[in-house]
Amino acid sequence: MMAFTDKDYWKALILFGLNQATYKIALGKTLLSLAEHGQTRVTWEQLSTEFLLQYQQRLSHDPMPQQATPSRQTVMERIVKLHLAGKLSLDQAIQEVGANAFGDVIRRFDNLGNDESFKGKFYRFDFGKELILTDDLHRIVEADTTELEEELDARWSLLEGAFSIQQENFVLSNDLRLTYLENGYKRKNLTSNIPFLQGYQGNTCFYCGEPIPPDDIHVDHVLPRQVLQHDEIWNLVLSHSFCNTQKSDRLVGEHYMRKLIARNENIIGSNHPWKRRIIASLGKTPDARRSCLERHYGKVRMILGPHYWGGSLSYSPEHDPFYRRMITVLNNSRR
Ligand SMILES: [Zn+2]
């Protein structure tokens, strides 16, 4: 009954599944770039060259950790460093990438739960020899890659951010430290959550379901911060400034709580390192988390009174593309 576009499948692959390192994101960017250049048969050397280029760009200044385990680095970080230090020529670096970097990622890019419809959807491969890009991949690239590129970049940033939080000894960049000191403990800069939330919200407004232009993104507390007194991620969403102002500090209608619960379950299902934060705040099982959130909702209703904000008149959860598609894809492929 529900039809998913190739782009939906692509997004699901990028957003969900194991992300213990940034390889999948880099491969996503590599595939888009190769397809944009009209390639169909890609030699292992071309693949290695493009993959290396992605990491060279990413690691060129203020490099962030590319995987979760402290005091280790990925094969790609090592190769880029050796090349920068002049210990590997460009050709040697490309050879190294081809021989050592693709261990799992080429085989596992399209692994997602038990859903077999992803297998071989965007490329087939002869490991160590070539990659063949499919028509499905070319089709999504022809349509528009800006949004897909931005999502990959945002996802890459949020993984790096999560990894650096996990790596206790990772030195905060000066910028981050400055923001932290300026804002103190009370008033945290919530804009750092934007890339993370964008990944799970498909860049649409939580309240009206319409796309959000890049210069109008607001991080909003679904249950008012004045009541909850915290900035936990389970209560944060992205919205238009207009919708944000409309809602103000009022209590949202219950359909938004259902959407928030589903959004939080998506984060947990995706295995993002921050899922632990949500589990710690809300509970270990979906049922526990739902009733915890409902308790919070009840408290807020007691304090603010039952003066609901029902949301934008045109909004209906059943027609919200994010709600309808992404959640369903994930839930169906996870059992
Ligand atoms: Zn809106």
Side-chain angles (χ1 to χ4, degrees), residues 205-210 239-240 242-243:
C205 172
F206 186 79
Y207 298 113
C208 72
E210 297 291 325
S239 74
H240 293 110
F242 174 78
C243 295

Side-chain angles (χ1 to χ4, degrees), residues 115-163:
D115 190 331
E116 290 291 315
S117 51
F118 292 88
K119 279 272 159 220
K121 182 154 182 65
F122 297 112
Y123 61 81
R124 298 188 306 279
F125 62 90
D126 186 354
F127 197 86
K129 296 200 176 76
E130 66 173 2
L131 215 63
I132 295 160
L133 310 185
T134 64
D135 290 347
D136 285 352
L137 178 62
H138 281 111
R139 218 171 289 128
I140 60 168
V141 168
E142 275 161 26
D144 176 28
T145 53
T146 314
E147 185 196 345
L148 300 178
E149 297 269 7
E150 283 171 2
E151 268 183 9
L152 282 164
D153 286 333
R155 184 83 182 151
W156 201 331
S157 299
L158 79 86
L159 280 176
E160 289 176 337
F163 295 156

